[in-house]
DNA sequence: TTTGAAAAATGCGAAGC
DNA sequence: GCTTCGCATTTTTCAAA
């Protein structure tokens, strides 16, 4: 699994603007053949460099309450708690972090009741959680998936 | 811009598994015509319900340091700081939150030097920031974009 | 809004450079 | 590893129910 060269990065640069761009279109933009684009995209997909997904607006599909939750865990329990959190549909992101909280998660809920249930029932019953710090999103300013500078 | 019905949600349910699924394939799965799928997808795109994107693995494209940063701002300065943060390529996500921090952002960097520069130079020079709380990601457990329960 | 059918574009596999 | 060339699939367009 080698490094990405300039053409690979250029392909990603175009796809990050619009995941629906065709091989043909990208080929023209980069002045190489369609087959080259296709081969490289398939290689990057196989190597897990990126994947084609859709990004839904949570509000538009009825998930009106978004929260970021910091968790402090008992030493040695972090991994197991992370795996438990993993299994919740509501949880979009979980990571272990250095800093104030051992775990940070992002989760989407239909309404406040569901958030309260998640925190007071589900989190509350997990062994090894020492403290929970809930932040509720009031306004979103940016949510970008374009990491590549052109 | 009406509400989504069961077919719309079913379409999103299939697309969230794989953003490359064709109209034809989804049509067969849902026992409706290809045109129906196409019409509905285009309506949802127009309404901003979702978009086709690619999700890159930050590590695989050389962004090896990921951080979540909580910021406390001077009253009334929050909006303007959020907009400034917005303009940084490194910043993937910014939101205003209730709770311990007024703003929370997620950012990706090539290395620790770039993170340190962002915090100690860029953030440090912004007017109205009272405190900054940096958490560095040690391990990622989940990063899902499938919000719809089937 | 959904369907069906024909034209245009895109994607795919194989062969050669 | 890149390109070209047929063939299959998908997308687009549009008329009609």
């Amino acid at each position: 699994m080698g490094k990405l060269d300039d053409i690979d990065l250029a392909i990603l640069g175009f796809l990050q603007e619009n995941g629906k761009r065709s091989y043909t279109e990208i080929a023209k933009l980069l002045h190489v053949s369609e087959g080259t684009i296709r081969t490289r995209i398939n290689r990057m997909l196989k190597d897990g460099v990126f994947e084609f997904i859709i990004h839904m607006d949570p509000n538009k599909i009825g998930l009106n309450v978004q929260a970021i939750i910091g968790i402090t865990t008992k030493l040695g329990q972090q991994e197991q708690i992370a795996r438990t959190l993993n299994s919740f549909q509501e949880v979009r992101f979980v990571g272990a972090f250095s800093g104030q909280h051992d775990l940070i998660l992002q989760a989407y809920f239909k309404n406040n009741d569901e958030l309260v249930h998640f925190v007071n029932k589900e989190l509350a019953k997990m062994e090894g959680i020492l403290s929970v710090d809930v932040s509720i999103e009031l306004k979103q300013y940016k949510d970008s998936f374009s990491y590549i500078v052109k």
Side-chain angles (χ1 to χ4, degrees), chain A:
Chain A
M1 200 180 82
K3 273 222 150 323
L4 305 177
D5 67 13
D6 288 347
I7 297 181
D8 292 328
L9 290 173
I11 293 172
L12 294 173
F14 286 121
L15 283 177
Q16 77 182 352
E17 295 172 351
N18 174 8
K20 270 263 145 146
R21 281 204 156 118
S22 68
Y23 300 151
T24 318
E25 184 187 351
I26 299 170
K28 279 177 194 150
L29 289 164
L30 294 178
H31 306 292
V32 293
S33 78
E34 175 270 339
T36 300
I37 304 297
R38 180 155 38 96
T39 309
R40 284 164 174 268
I41 285 182
N42 286 328
R43 175 178 46 73
M44 289 193 281
L45 287 172
K46 185 171 62 61
D47 292 346
V49 173
F50 79 99
E51 54 184 0
F52 289 101
I53 64 163
I54 62 169
H55 180 223
M56 295 176 267
D57 182 335
N59 291 300
K60 298 253 167 81
I61 58 169
L63 297 169
N64 298 303
V65 176
Q66 288 140 68
I68 289 181
I69 302 178
I71 295 177
T72 308
T73 62
K74 222 179 268 178
L75 209 60
Q77 306 260 43
Q78 182 180 295
E79 176 106 4
Q80 173 240 315
I81 292 170
R83 297 202 186 288
T84 308
L85 292 169
N86 230 314
S87 64
F88 283 86
Q89 177 76 33
E90 295 92 336
V91 174
R92 198 201 75 66
F93 173 94
V94 192
F97 283 81
S98 79
Q100 197 181 351
H101 300 106
D102 301 317
L103 294 173
I104 299 178
L105 67 91
Q106 184 181 26
Y108 295 160
F109 305 92
K110 289 204 184 74
N111 50 50
N112 286 324
D113 281 354
E114 290 208 352
L115 166 61
V116 170
H117 178 270
F118 178 75
V119 175
N120 288 343
K121 303 286 176 184
E122 301 298 346
L123 290 186
K125 78 165 97 147
M126 290 183 203
E127 275 299 319
I129 292 185
L130 294 176
S131 79
V132 168
D133 181 12
V134 179
S135 296
I136 298 174
E137 187 178 290
L138 304 173
K139 184 177 166 82
Q140 189 168 289
Y141 291 99
K142 184 175 189 177
D143 196 15
S144 158
F145 295 90
S146 301
Y147 317 144
I148 296 200
V149 193
K150 312 200 74 172

